[in-house]
Amino acid sequence: MANKEVKLYGAWGSPFSSRVEIALKLKGVPYQFFDEDLTNKSPDLLRYNPVHKKIPVLVHRGKPIAESLVILEYIDETWKSAYPLLPEDPYDRAMARFWSRFLDEQCLLASWKAASSEGEARAKLKEEAHGHLKTLEEQLKRKKFFGGDSVGFLDISANFVAHWLVIIQEAAGVDLFTEDKFPTLWKWAEEFRCCPIIKDNLPEKERLSAHFKARFGGQNASK
Amino acid sequence: MANKEVKLYGAWGSPFSSRVEIALKLKGVPYQFFDEDLTNKSPDLLRYNPVHKKIPVLVHRGKPIAESLVILEYIDETWKSAYPLLPEDPYDRAMARFWSRFLDEQCLLASWKAASSEGEARAKLKEEAHGHLKTLEEQLKRKKFFGGDSVGFLDISANFVAHWLVIIQEAAGVDLFTEDKFPTLWKWAEEFRCCPIIKDNLPEKERLSAHFKARFGGQNASK
């Protein structure tokens, strides 16, 4: 059976780990979750991902795959029939891949840096993050989800924007993603968080909030 | 016809642009090449890739695709029957994707930074680049190419190592990729550069060398 022996080495609060969990749940693939302590990584994780030593790692039939976007493609290709994540058309697939990379390399990075910085550097990074979110919002146009009528590859990749960003900005005291600035993206985020399988598989808001408040404690003054 | 109207906005000396050219040639897809002046980019390039404003951009039937690895996947999915780039097995595909990202995000970046730096910083970056090349070499094991018996997705992604790296290290005066340190990877690079279609589609060594000598001029002392 294709879904025999699926293990996921992840971390409860990581959006990258959550992407993989959402994909497996949407596909209906049972798996065993290993919640890694990122300050003291398990020998299994280090053995399975010796190159980056990072979560998430999916282990299927004893073979490890790292990097969340690579894992999503693997899941889509291995469990083909249930809930396709990528669209069928090669151009639409290319766009989902392009924007997923954009999310990781530009959007997520600038947002995290803005939350982690202060003063003038923060103001500059905040502006940069706003620019990226605006670009992302324009991709939605009149669609309900990036994937069209239902959640797809790019929606899952954008889980950070939908669930984490508001919590992080609150903890760090910086306005990155607000309803008035990004109304279409805001509506998408609400829809995404309410989707049947997704709403039960996002980390609890209060727990995440406490985690990031501890991380960003003391920075709240510099809006 | 699927191969009607294929345009590539690239630059003669770019390994990213070269990846796309190699893929199109291996697939036998005719295309029109627009050699961009990267110091004065064309309005077409800026219109087709407004997000990153970078080459390469493939335009197929008027629709643009950016990012070389995303373009390679698009080419493989659009012209399916001729010369498959990615392997068939989902796990092998995941590995090709994982190592291609590793090449761009670790290997290429550290090598370029080592070539662009001096003194202690260079020594540290050189060591880092060596570590990445060692990791890459271990992936080859006893295979002729990363793709097995013939050049595949990962070989094309590694074109920078096969052709550019030796030229850059010579121009910058730093030992990054040498036969004694990486004999297996060195042999692979030779085999890759000699492949029928590839050998006619790599930028001329002398021209590249002059280009990088101008770029790194003056740094040759700090080996």
Side-chain angles (χ1 to χ4, degrees):
Chain A
M1 271 179 71
N3 58 4
K4 210 181 157 192
E5 293 185 13
V6 178
K7 293 177 185 178
L8 173 60
Y9 293 81
W12 72 269
S14 155
F16 306 106
S17 178
S18 161
R19 286 174 179 173
V20 181
E21 288 209 84
I22 290 171
L24 290 170
K25 295 272 186 180
L26 287 172
K27 291 274 190 187
V29 178
Y31 61 95
Q32 215 181 335
F33 184 73
F34 297 87
D35 191 9
E36 287 284 331
D37 172 0
L38 300 181
T39 62
N40 181 26
K41 294 169 184 172
S42 75
D44 273 352
L45 175 64
L46 302 177
R47 180 166 61 93
Y48 283 134
N49 189 3
V51 176
H52 301 304
K53 301 177 177 65
K54 282 181 183 171
I55 57 103
V57 176
L58 186 82
V59 182
H60 183 210
R61 293 169 169 167
K63 289 158 98 180
I65 305 135
E67 302 266 341
S68 67
L69 298 181
V70 175
I71 299 172
L72 289 194
E73 296 236 24
Y74 176 80
I75 290 172
D76 207 27
E77 290 178 350
T78 302
W79 294 277
K80 269 187 188 164
S81 51
Y83 203 100
L85 303 176
L86 277 167
E88 266 191 51
D89 177 74
Y91 189 78
D92 295 339
R93 293 166 75 85
M95 289 305 101
R97 289 180 181 124
F98 175 85
W99 289 108
S100 295
R101 289 175 72 109
F102 171 81
L103 266 161
D104 278 2
E105 291 164 17
Q106 314 282 328
C107 223
L108 202 149
L109 199 66
S111 303
W112 184 256
K113 280 185 180 170
S116 308
S117 60
E118 286 180 15
E120 266 184 57
R122 170 175 278 192
K124 210 180 146 187
L125 286 157
K126 189 173 121 173
E127 204 176 317
E128 200 187 303
H130 283 169
H132 296 326
L133 288 170
K134 192 81 213 156
T135 303
L136 192 67
E137 182 166 78
E138 280 158 13
Q139 294 312 305
L140 266 170
K141 288 164 193 156
R142 276 180 231 95
K143 288 184 291 185
K144 186 175 175 187
F145 295 110
F146 290 104
D149 291 331
S150 58
V151 161
F153 191 92
L154 183 52
D155 297 280
I156 299 171
S157 307
N159 68 342
F160 172 83
V161 177
H163 188 58
W164 275 257
L165 198 46
V166 174
I167 297 169
I168 288 172
Q169 72 179 357
E170 210 178 280
V174 56
D175 287 336
L176 295 168
F177 180 31
T178 56
E179 187 173 6
D180 61 325
K181 269 207 173 65
F182 309 102
T184 314
L185 203 56
W186 189 268
K187 197 163 174 284
W188 161 82
E190 283 181 337
E191 298 269 14
F192 179 83
R193 290 193 306 264
C194 289
C195 283
I197 285 178
I198 290 158
K199 74 174 174 202
D200 300 325
N201 284 286
L202 289 170
E204 201 189 300
K205 202 180 163 184
E206 287 66 32
R207 194 178 170 201
L208 264 191
S209 181
H211 171 77
F212 286 113
K213 274 183 183 150
R215 164 71 182 75
F216 291 112
Q219 279 178 252
N220 293 16
S222 52
K223 268 216 176 179
Chain B
M1 270 179 71
N3 59 5
K4 210 180 156 191
E5 294 185 12
V6 179
K7 293 178 186 176
L8 174 60
Y9 292 81
W12 72 270
S14 155
F16 306 107
S17 178
S18 161
R19 285 175 180 173
V20 181
E21 287 209 84
I22 290 172
L24 289 170
K25 295 272 185 180
L26 287 172
K27 292 274 189 186
V29 178
Y31 61 95
Q32 214 182 336
F33 184 73
F34 297 87
D35 191 9
E36 288 284 330
D37 172 0
L38 300 181
T39 62
N40 181 25
K41 295 170 184 172
S42 74
D44 272 352
L45 175 64
L46 302 178
R47 179 166 60 93
Y48 283 135
N49 189 5
V51 176
H52 302 305
K53 301 176 178 64
K54 283 183 183 169
I55 57 102
V57 176
L58 186 82
V59 183
H60 183 210
R61 294 171 169 165
K63 289 158 99 179
I65 304 135
E67 302 266 340
S68 67
L69 298 181
V70 175
I71 299 172
L72 289 194
E73 296 236 23
Y74 176 80
I75 289 172
D76 208 27
E77 291 178 349
T78 302
W79 294 278
K80 269 188 189 165
S81 52
Y83 202 100
L85 303 176
L86 277 167
E88 266 191 51
D89 176 75
Y91 189 78
D92 295 339
R93 294 166 73 86
M95 288 306 99
R97 290 180 181 124
F98 175 85
W99 289 108
S100 296
R101 290 175 71 109
F102 172 80
L103 267 161
D104 279 2
E105 291 163 18
Q106 314 281 328
C107 224
L108 202 149
L109 198 66
S111 303
W112 185 255
K113 280 187 182 171
S116 309
S117 60
E118 286 179 14
E120 266 185 57
R122 170 176 277 193
K124 211 180 146 186
L125 286 158
K126 189 173 120 173
E127 204 176 318
E128 200 187 304
H130 283 169
H132 295 326
L133 289 170
K134 192 82 214 155
T135 303
L136 192 66
E137 182 165 78
E138 282 159 11
Q139 294 312 306
L140 265 170
K141 288 165 193 156
R142 275 180 231 96
K143 288 183 291 186
K144 186 176 176 186
F145 294 110
F146 290 104
D149 291 330
S150 58
V151 161
F153 191 91
L154 182 51
D155 297 280
I156 300 172
S157 306
N159 67 341
F160 171 84
V161 176
H163 189 57
W164 275 258
L165 199 44
V166 173
I167 297 169
I168 288 172
Q169 72 180 356
E170 211 178 278
V174 56
D175 288 337
L176 295 169
F177 179 31
T178 56
E179 187 173 5
D180 62 325
K181 269 206 173 67
F182 308 101
T184 314
L185 203 56
W186 189 270
K187 196 163 174 285
W188 161 83
E190 282 180 339
E191 298 268 14
F192 178 82
R193 289 193 307 264
C194 290
C195 283
I197 286 178
I198 290 159
K199 73 175 174 203
D200 300 324
N201 283 286
L202 289 170
E204 201 189 299
K205 202 180 163 182
E206 288 65 32
R207 193 177 171 202
L208 263 191
S209 181
H211 172 77
F212 286 114
K213 273 182 183 151
R215 165 71 182 77
F216 291 112
Q219 279 178 252
N220 293 15
S222 53
K223 267 217 175 176

